[in-house]
Amino acid sequence: MVGTETTGPDAPAVPALRTALLAWFDRSRREMPWRSTTDPYRVWLSEVMLQQTRVDQALPYYRRFLERFPDVVSLAEAPLDDVLRVWEGLGYYSRARNLHRAAGEIMERWNGVVPADPEVLRSLPGIGAYTAAAVASLAFGIPVAAVDGNVIRVVSRLYADDGVPVQAAVGRRLRERATVLIDPDRPGAWNEAMMELGATVCTPRSPSCENCPVRAHCAGARSDDPTAFPGRRSRRAVPHFDVAVGIVRRHDGRIFIQRRPEEAMLGGLWEFPGGKCEPDELPEAACRRELHEELGIDVEIEPRVAEIPHAYSHFRITLHAFPCTIRGDVATDTF
């Protein structure tokens, strides 16, 4: 593994690297609506949407969101339910809640003007180091490196650094190197170019080194296996959970749903009551138990009507849905 220095026999020639990468980006970059603006609100929105979401998936949501909330003022004044409704289908709903909260703070603290200072941006809900750097550089021309997974991979290969980025010392070293490389005259274009290179050429499994504009400056490309950089930690098995929910009908035919706590995963969204199956517990039994624990009702379980697999970022579930008939009397203010 290379050391912590940003110079040495494997370090790229920074001025030549900058020239080559920016020339490639200027002629080859993909056209995207947020690349034609320096409006900090639109840059911020695009960066938030592109977290955990592919560009082709985010594009229609970006356009639709801006039609409904074209600026910080309209977003801050909108009810949260309206924001979540427009976001619906994009996933990771905490992003939408944080956008809404941050818009409110921007109205209160800066009269609706998005701040330029990356450290101030980081004080807002949902804005971390990467998003703050992206907004500061793309919208305000501040020379700060925006370091995401693509940039980590590119920097690791440029220096042939096989450290594991999730380790604190390695992550710090790679961020320092990304800061050394940034072009001070065109920081926004540089950050976009690094991300574009990682997304389209310097890909995780099959990098197109023969088409790379900075191959001459890349120690990883000169190695036998550029995919060895960055290093990887051993993968853990992805946990799986069976979740049983009840479709509980009121006496008037309406179906009971409940809202998740704001601070919980998928907070503020609506769901059928239920929960995880205990080890060796059948879904039918778990549904009956969960409804009794959550709602204080006893139910007759009808045959299952749906079995739906779903994957989240760090675990998977199979959702089992059962129509339920309430046994005995229940409080009328609940049902």
Side-chain angles (χ1 to χ4, degrees):
M1 186 190 307
V2 297
T4 59
E5 69 280 2
T6 54
T7 60
D10 288 328
V14 174
L17 170 67
R18 290 172 179 164
T19 299
L21 182 60
L22 287 172
W24 167 80
F25 182 65
D26 287 340
R27 68 175 180 268
S28 303
R29 66 180 184 176
R30 294 172 291 175
E31 292 301 320
M32 301 174 190
W34 45 81
R35 285 182 172 169
S36 61
T37 181
T38 57
D39 179 346
Y41 171 70
R42 295 185 175 221
V43 172
W44 168 36
L45 175 63
S46 70
E47 292 299 337
V48 171
M49 283 193 168
L50 291 173
Q51 297 167 10
Q52 307 292 333
T53 303
R54 298 196 312 269
V55 169
D56 59 330
Q57 291 177 316
L59 274 169
Y61 286 93
Y62 176 80
R63 295 189 179 102
R64 188 170 71 194
F65 199 92
L66 285 176
E67 288 175 1
R68 179 64 180 82
F69 313 112
D71 49 35
V72 171
V73 176
S74 58
L75 177 58
E77 291 179 347
L80 177 58
D81 281 349
D82 288 357
V83 177
L84 293 173
R85 191 173 298 112
V86 176
W87 194 274
E88 187 174 0
L90 195 58
Y92 299 95
Y93 290 88
S94 61
R95 296 181 294 177
R97 291 195 300 276
N98 284 330
L99 271 169
H100 186 254
R101 288 174 54 208
E105 290 194 21
I106 291 170
M107 290 299 299
E108 292 176 6
R109 297 165 63 182
W110 299 288
N111 198 30
V113 178
V114 177
D117 187 329
E119 291 304 315
V120 175
L121 285 166
R122 289 188 67 177
S123 71
L124 292 168
I127 296 186
Y130 165 77
T131 302
V135 174
S137 62
L138 294 170
F140 300 105
I142 296 174
V144 56
V147 182
D148 69 350
N150 283 320
V151 173
I152 287 288
R153 184 168 60 256
V154 171
V155 173
S156 295
R157 290 175 179 171
L158 284 171
Y159 287 88
D161 189 328
D162 65 357
V164 180
V166 295
Q167 296 175 354
V170 176
R172 184 166 54 251
R173 177 171 71 239
L174 294 173
R175 288 190 296 272
E176 289 172 354
R177 287 172 167 169
T179 298
V180 168
L181 297 177
I182 190 169
D183 190 301
D185 298 321
R186 299 181 64 192
W190 175 262
N191 281 330
E192 285 192 302
M194 288 285 280
M195 290 182 276
E196 185 90 339
L197 186 70
T200 63
V201 177
C202 194
T203 52
R205 294 181 179 82
S206 301
S208 182
C209 292
E210 65 278 8
N211 296 318
C212 180
V214 296
R215 181 178 183 180
H217 309 282
C218 181
R222 295 192 294 271
S223 72
D224 292 334
D225 181 14
T227 62
F229 314 104
R232 302 175 183 84
R233 62 179 177 181
S234 57
R235 288 191 173 184
R236 299 176 181 175
V238 178
H240 172 270
F241 305 101
D242 285 291
V243 176
V245 298
I247 305 171
V248 184
R249 290 183 177 85
R250 283 173 43 125
H251 62 279
D252 58 3
R254 289 191 290 175
I255 294 174
F256 179 82
I257 58 174
Q258 59 191 9
R259 193 168 193 170
R260 293 181 60 82
E262 290 292 339
E263 67 278 6
M265 178 182 175
L266 304 179
L269 301 184
W270 296 87
E271 67 178 359
F272 294 114
K276 294 178 185 177
C277 299
E278 300 289 350
D280 301 321
E281 183 180 36
L282 293 176
E284 293 89 339
C287 180
R288 184 179 294 109
R289 174 182 55 77
E290 286 284 345
L291 294 183
H292 180 77
E293 292 175 355
E294 288 188 18
L295 305 176
I297 60 174
D298 295 318
V299 297
E300 293 287 349
I301 303 294
E302 301 176 21
R304 177 168 39 204
V305 295
E307 184 175 325
I308 305 169
H310 186 71
Y312 294 91
S313 56
H314 302 300
F315 64 95
R316 295 183 175 88
I317 70 167
T318 299
L319 183 73
H320 306 266
F322 300 91
C324 300
T325 302
I326 301 173
R327 296 191 301 186
D329 295 328
V330 296
T332 55
D333 59 347
T334 302
F335 292 97

